[in-house]
Amino acid sequence: MIGRLNHVAIAVPDLEAAAAQYRDTLGAKVGAPQDEPDHGVTVVFIELPNTKVELLYPLGAESPIAGFLEKNPAGGIHHMCFEVDDILAARDKLKSEGARVLGSGQPKIGAHGKPVLFLHPKDFNGCLIELEQV
Amino acid sequence: MIGRLNHVAIAVPDLEAAAAQYRDTLGAKVGAPQDEPDHGVTVVFIELPNTKVELLYPLGAESPIAGFLEKNPAGGIHHMCFEVDDILAARDKLKSEGARVLGSGQPKIGAHGKPVLFLHPKDFNGCLIELEQV
C-alpha cells in the first residue's frame, strides 16, 4: 500500500536559522518559506535527490505544531509522510484493521495540494504518519 | 554536502509486531530481522521505492536505543540518515562551523557496512542525524 517516502517533517523553533543551517552548513537545496494557513504552519522545503525534508514552524494561534514545540523546545522530527495511490482505500483498510485516523477521517488538501490524512501515533510505534495521495 | 536520505529509523517496543504491521497493514516490503551487535540493535529494513525505514530494537545491555524507549515506551522516530560522499570532509566542515559530532569523532562502520557518524541533536533542531558515506 505505502509507496515512496514523500517527506520527513521537522518542527523547528527558528525557521530562518534552520533553513540557513540546511542550506549553508549541510549544503542542501532549500526553498523559500511558504505560509500554509490552512495547516497552521510555515514550511520550508528541502529538496534531497530522493525525497524532501520539510521544516515546520507554527503559523497562527491554532497551529498543530505549537504543542509539539512546547514539549520539544529545541525542535524534533514531527512526522513522516508516505505516498499512497488511493487515500480512501488506504484509510478504509487501515480502519478495518483497527488503526485510528486523526480528525474527521475525511482527507484534507495538504501542503502539496493533494489529499492527506494523519494516522494516530499510538497505533504506529509512536510515529505520526501522514498519508498523501499522489 | 548531504545527498540522499538513506533511511529514517524508528525505535519500536515490539519488533515482530512492528514488522508485521509494516508488511501486512501498510503493505510494504519488509526484510528479516538482523542483529547488529556492534551497534546494540536488531534491525528490520523496510524497503520503500525511494528510501528505507529501519525498525530498531535494543540488542544487549548497552543498547543505545534503550534509553530512548524508556522515555518513549510506545516507540518513535529515532534518527534520520543522510548520505555524504566524503564523511571526513563532512565531519571537518561541520566541526569547523561549531556542530558537535557524537562519540570519538571517528567514523564507525554502520549497519550497511559503510562509515557513519552521528551529529548532536541539540545542534540540529532536536534531530539525531546520521551521516553515511556511500
Side-chain angles (χ1 to χ4, degrees), chain A residues 73-112:
Chain A
I77 302 177
H78 183 263
H79 70 265
M80 54 187 173
C81 175
F82 298 125
E83 298 178 356
V84 295
D85 287 332
D86 182 335
I87 201 164
L88 295 178
R91 175 197 66 186
D92 293 346
K93 176 178 193 306
L94 291 165
K95 284 176 76 173
S96 76
E97 301 192 13
R100 285 166 286 179
V101 175
L102 297 185
S104 69
Q106 289 306 309
K108 286 191 179 179
I109 298 303
H112 311 109

Side-chain angles (χ1 to χ4, degrees), chain A residues 1-5 8 10-13 18 21-22 24-28 48-51 53 74-77 79-80 82 93-94 97 119 123-129, chain B residues 1-5 8 10-13 18 21-22 24-28 48-51 53 74-77 79-80 82 93-94 97 119 123-129:
Chain A
M1 181 170 66
I2 57 171
R4 297 173 74 258
L5 179 77
V8 179
I10 302 172
V12 301
Q21 183 184 49
Y22 272 85
D24 302 332
T25 304
L26 292 170
L48 302 179
N50 61 331
T51 188
V53 171
I77 302 177
H79 70 265
M80 54 187 173
F82 298 125
K93 176 178 193 306
L94 291 165
E97 301 192 13
L119 308 178
D123 297 335
F124 292 92
N125 307 291
C127 303
L128 181 59
I129 292 178
Chain B
M1 180 170 68
I2 58 171
R4 297 173 73 256
L5 179 77
V8 179
I10 301 172
V12 301
Q21 183 183 49
Y22 271 85
D24 302 331
T25 303
L26 293 170
L48 302 179
N50 60 331
T51 188
V53 171
I77 302 176
H79 70 266
M80 54 186 174
F82 297 125
K93 176 176 193 306
L94 290 166
E97 300 191 14
L119 308 179
D123 296 335
F124 292 92
N125 308 292
C127 304
L128 180 60
I129 292 178

Side-chain angles (χ1 to χ4, degrees), chain A residues 49, chain B residues 1-7 52 81-88 112-116 130-134:
Chain B
M1 180 170 68
I2 58 171
R4 297 173 73 256
L5 179 77
N6 186 277
H7 62 266
K52 290 188 293 285
C81 174
F82 297 125
E83 298 178 356
V84 295
D85 288 331
D86 182 336
I87 201 163
L88 295 179
H112 311 109
K114 310 241 170 101
V116 301
E130 182 181 15
L131 298 179
E132 178 174 312
Q133 179 171 298
V134 290

